[in-house]
Amino acid sequence: MSAGRDGSARSDEEWERFLRESVAGAADAPKEPSARARDVAKRLRAEPGRGPEGWRSYTPARPRRRTGWYVAGLLAALVLLVVALAPGRAVDLFAGGDPDAGPSAAETARPTQAPPAEAARRPTVDEPFRGSPAARWASGAAGITVPEADAVGWMSAAEVERALARSRDFLVMSNLDRGVLRGEHPAKAVELINPHQEDVQDFLGTAFRTPSEKNDPLLLFSRFQPSRTRLIGDVVKTRGRLTYQEGERGALQVTADVTFVYPVARAGSDDEIVRTIVRRELVLSWDDPDKVITEPGTFSIVSYAYDMTNGGCGAPTGYLTPPFGTDDRADEAGTEIDPYDRSAPVGRNGSAGDGCAKATRS
């Protein structure tokens, strides 16, 4: 036993404890240890393994980098930013959506299968395409792929390029123009159709005055009746492409295959949002004016076909009539199809290619 300065006896174990605290910078360590204490301290320095775990003789403590905390804090800040700027997207991510799912690549060829099923989520006013493959599609004209132009028939490559652009313009004017979608007459689109194509001109003259199953403007144009139906937002999702080849008498024949997805609600209400989906296949002929009577900058319509779901299956009115409520849905008829499946031509995936079908998903 050793005596301390206060007269009390201290054991070797106590001195070892005091010395360890002294090394760590403890304020209450003895200021003047005895010779025996100095011997113990020397022995401790020679046997560092006897000290506390991780203890090193006379090694200043180094602050540990708290990298994990910094990373966690940064991630938390990013999450808060996403929630603030895009709350709907944040809900999708944390509700089991695919965080790696980005915009779909442009369609340059016919797909080999239907797009995969999405998690079932109801559309909202802020996210009207939520829970559907269209959420990843491009908007408006951007979703219609136009191929590179080469010389075909009577047209040079530059002329083919202009004709392809005008063909896409017709799709935009007839299916995306806001006025036309609200029921206005598609005057600009009609101006692109060869005025000398008598059968089509007769159809156009009748369809808007007295629509019928044979003369229905919906065969070429997408229109909603404002007093009944309201478009949600300013975006229509699209997916499709143009292709071309040489047609009869050296004409440029352009084929358009495009799906349009329209989010709508009952006029004056947001209680229920329905997606009306129209897929159109048009074949247009840009004829050689030396061989066919036509006007510059116009085309002739060779054929048209379309599939339409959630657009009404009743008597033709000249407008798409989405089903709202159980009563309207009870009247829905037609062959069941997947409106997002673009792996087969229009009319070859279960529908007749002449209008009304029932969606297996929307």
Side-chain angles (χ1 to χ4, degrees):
M1 302 289 289
S2 300
R5 292 190 62 179
D6 57 358
S8 62
R10 299 182 184 273
S11 65
D12 290 348
E13 288 77 14
E14 289 176 312
W15 277 114
E16 288 184 17
R17 186 180 72 251
F18 288 141
L19 287 170
R20 293 189 188 104
E21 293 175 349
S22 176
V23 172
D28 60 344
K31 294 181 180 180
E32 296 181 7
S34 64
R36 187 178 184 85
R38 289 194 296 272
D39 290 338
V40 172
K42 183 178 180 180
R43 179 159 45 86
L44 287 174
R45 289 193 297 271
E47 299 177 18
R50 292 188 59 187
E53 184 178 354
W55 181 83
R56 297 180 183 181
S57 299
Y58 299 99
T59 301
R62 295 180 180 178
R64 295 182 181 178
R65 295 181 179 179
R66 300 186 177 183
T67 306
W69 288 106
Y70 296 153
V71 172
L74 178 59
L75 290 176
L78 290 174
V79 169
L80 291 175
L81 181 62
V82 170
V83 171
L85 297 180
R89 178 61 176 158
V91 170
D92 281 350
L93 292 176
F94 294 110
D98 182 0
D100 299 322
S104 298
E107 183 179 290
T108 56
R110 188 179 302 282
T112 58
Q113 60 186 5
E118 302 285 326
R121 300 189 182 99
R122 292 175 61 85
T124 66
V125 172
D126 293 330
E127 295 181 279
F129 304 100
R130 188 171 182 250
S132 78
R136 298 180 59 196
W137 291 4
S139 303
I144 306 173
T145 305
V146 178
E148 293 185 3
D150 291 317
V152 172
W154 70 282
M155 284 188 167
S156 66
E159 290 171 325
V160 170
E161 184 177 9
R162 285 194 294 271
L164 290 172
R166 297 298 280 170
S167 298
R168 185 170 70 168
D169 288 345
F170 177 77
L171 293 169
V172 171
M173 295 172 183
S174 56
N175 294 277
L176 295 173
D177 181 88
R178 302 305 290 185
V180 173
L181 292 178
R182 295 189 180 101
E184 296 178 8
H185 186 79
K188 292 182 179 180
V190 170
E191 289 176 358
L192 291 177
I193 301 173
N194 181 4
H196 303 288
Q197 190 178 9
E198 294 183 2
D199 57 342
V200 174
Q201 293 300 323
D202 289 342
F203 159 77
L204 293 172
T206 305
F208 295 101
R209 291 195 308 269
T210 55
S212 63
E213 186 173 348
K214 180 181 178 180
N215 296 302
D216 190 345
L218 298 182
L219 295 173
L220 291 175
F221 309 98
S222 294
R223 309 167 73 229
F224 296 90
Q225 192 170 20
S227 61
R228 182 185 185 278
T229 306
R230 181 174 69 88
L231 290 161
I232 299 296
D234 298 322
V235 174
V236 174
K237 291 290 188 174
T238 58
R239 186 159 183 81
R241 66 196 185 282
L242 302 181
T243 57
Y244 65 93
Q245 62 183 14
E246 184 173 344
E248 295 183 3
R249 295 180 290 275
L252 170 68
Q253 183 172 290
V254 178
T255 299
D257 181 355
V258 182
T259 301
F260 303 87
V261 184
Y262 306 99
V264 294
R266 194 190 302 271
S269 173
D270 293 332
D271 293 342
E272 181 182 12
I273 296 174
V274 171
R275 287 185 284 255
T276 297
I277 306 169
V278 181
R279 181 184 175 191
R280 297 193 183 277
E281 188 175 277
L282 289 170
V283 179
L284 313 176
S285 181
W286 293 85
D287 298 310
D288 183 348
D290 291 337
K291 299 177 181 179
V292 176
I293 300 175
T294 186
E295 294 295 329
T298 67
F299 56 77
S300 299
I301 296 178
V302 177
S303 65
Y304 49 81
Y306 78 116
D307 285 333
M308 176 264 293
T309 57
N310 284 339
C313 292
T317 63
Y319 301 100
L320 294 163
T321 55
F324 298 114
T326 56
D327 292 340
D328 285 350
R329 284 193 172 82
D331 294 333
E332 285 288 274
T335 304
E336 288 191 349
I337 65 169
D338 179 352
Y340 299 103
D341 185 358
R342 297 181 44 78
S343 62
V346 173
R348 296 183 187 177
N349 59 356
S351 74
D354 58 359
C356 182
K358 189 173 183 178
T360 58
R361 58 171 170 167
S362 63

